Amino acid sequence: MACTWSLIDVNLFNLLCPHKFDGYKQKHSFQQYSKDEYIYFEKDHSNKIFLIETGKVKIGYYTEDGREIVKSIHGKGDVFGEKAIIGEESRNEFALALSDASICILTVETIHDLMQENKSFSLKIHKFIGLRFKKIERRLSILLFKDAKTRLLEFLKELSLEYGYDCKKSGNLIIKHPYTQKDMASLLGTSRPTLNCLFNELKEQNILNYYRKEIIFYKNQQVLAS
């Protein structure tokens, strides 16, 4: 899988939050959201971006027949609502707190000012947006055209790039990730029972073992090969 699947390997909250920049500390404030509280809705005015200090947020939209499509799930250190930076006028998605969350909210004007004053910062913003778009486009394409098992394997490839490392002692690939099975099922457009069956099938084939926040791929497995 191409490396562009993964986002910049940094805490984006620390990178973008204005307390890092002289002259912008007064614009640094936090909004608290409760679990299941909407942060914004589809068609809301798009003039802010959001930096997650703590908590987890789901981004998605509803189809004409009322089905929910989950585009992404973000956690501590992540950014969402970034399309406002490149001229989006109204939201085409919703953002919902999956847990209690503390979020720093910035106006587009603040981000544009920071980009004009700092070329390195501006380059990182453009790189982040480009990688985010590629990741979401690929995930939605897989969601539409692949079966559930293939969607799971593609998602595990993504996780291996973002959260995986090789264990020197065993030779296994270890993936320590932040997602619950409910999160994964939502992102893959399937049910938790189906997802659990797929994991059990891969486990019975001696391909992997899985725990609450850890997935172990046994050495010499080619299932995650590009």
Side-chain angles (χ1 to χ4, degrees):
M1 180 172 294
C3 63
T4 51
W5 250 106
S6 61
L7 299 180
I8 302 170
D9 188 21
V10 296
N11 182 306
L12 289 166
F13 174 87
N14 288 339
L15 172 67
L16 302 181
C17 207
H19 75 279
K20 294 287 183 179
F21 301 89
D22 292 338
Y24 288 88
K25 294 181 180 179
Q26 73 277 10
K27 301 184 180 184
H28 177 252
S29 60
F30 294 93
Q31 178 72 42
Q32 307 303 313
Y33 292 90
S34 300
K35 181 180 179 182
D36 295 327
E37 182 178 356
Y38 281 93
I39 299 163
Y40 59 74
F41 298 92
E42 293 183 65
K43 299 184 179 180
D44 278 358
H45 187 45
S46 183
N47 61 351
K48 297 180 178 69
I49 71 165
F50 304 82
L51 319 179
I52 304 175
E53 182 189 29
T54 60
K56 192 180 292 185
V57 174
K58 174 172 66 177
I59 308 298
Y61 64 92
Y62 296 102
T63 63
E64 292 183 357
D65 60 1
R67 289 188 301 117
E68 180 184 273
I69 303 296
V70 178
K71 296 172 66 175
S72 57
I73 293 175
H74 302 291
K76 180 179 179 179
D78 283 345
V79 176
F80 62 97
E82 69 282 348
K83 286 183 288 185
I85 299 173
I86 56 173
E88 179 189 61
E89 294 184 357
S90 60
R91 303 291 182 189
N92 62 2
E93 60 197 18
F94 66 79
L96 176 73
L98 290 176
S99 66
D100 292 346
S102 176
I103 297 176
C104 179
I105 302 176
L106 298 179
T107 65
V108 172
E109 288 77 11
T110 297
I111 292 295
H112 284 169
D113 287 346
L114 287 167
M115 291 172 70
Q116 289 177 355
E117 296 171 7
N118 188 315
K119 291 184 179 180
S120 176
F121 177 81
S122 180
L123 182 62
K124 289 175 180 177
I125 288 287
H126 284 109
K127 182 179 180 181
F128 157 69
I129 291 175
L131 294 179
R132 174 65 60 81
F133 281 2
K134 286 182 180 180
K135 181 176 181 179
I136 291 177
E137 285 174 1
R138 181 173 176 85
R139 178 172 290 159
L140 291 177
S141 176
I142 291 169
L143 192 63
L144 289 171
F145 300 113
K146 304 293 184 179
D147 60 72
K149 185 174 182 178
T150 303
R151 297 200 300 271
L152 173 59
L153 291 175
E154 292 285 351
F155 180 68
L156 293 177
K157 288 181 185 180
E158 176 189 341
L159 288 188
S160 72
L161 289 173
E162 294 194 47
Y163 303 106
Y165 65 93
D166 293 320
C167 178
K168 293 182 180 179
K169 184 176 180 179
S170 66
N172 297 329
L173 172 65
I174 311 296
I175 304 174
K176 290 186 177 292
H177 61 86
Y179 297 107
T180 65
Q181 279 207 8
K182 182 178 180 181
D183 293 338
M184 290 186 189
S186 295
L187 286 167
L188 296 172
T190 189
S191 66
R192 288 181 67 183
T194 297
L195 180 64
N196 197 50
C197 286
L198 291 172
F199 268 123
N200 285 335
E201 179 182 331
L202 293 170
K203 182 177 180 179
E204 290 170 1
Q205 294 171 355
N206 206 34
I207 292 173
L208 59 74
N209 203 351
Y210 64 97
Y211 304 93
R212 185 170 177 267
K213 294 293 183 180
E214 182 178 278
I215 299 169
I216 301 173
F217 276 91
Y218 298 123
K219 62 182 179 180
N220 300 324
Q221 291 297 335
Q222 299 298 312
V223 70
L224 295 187
S226 298

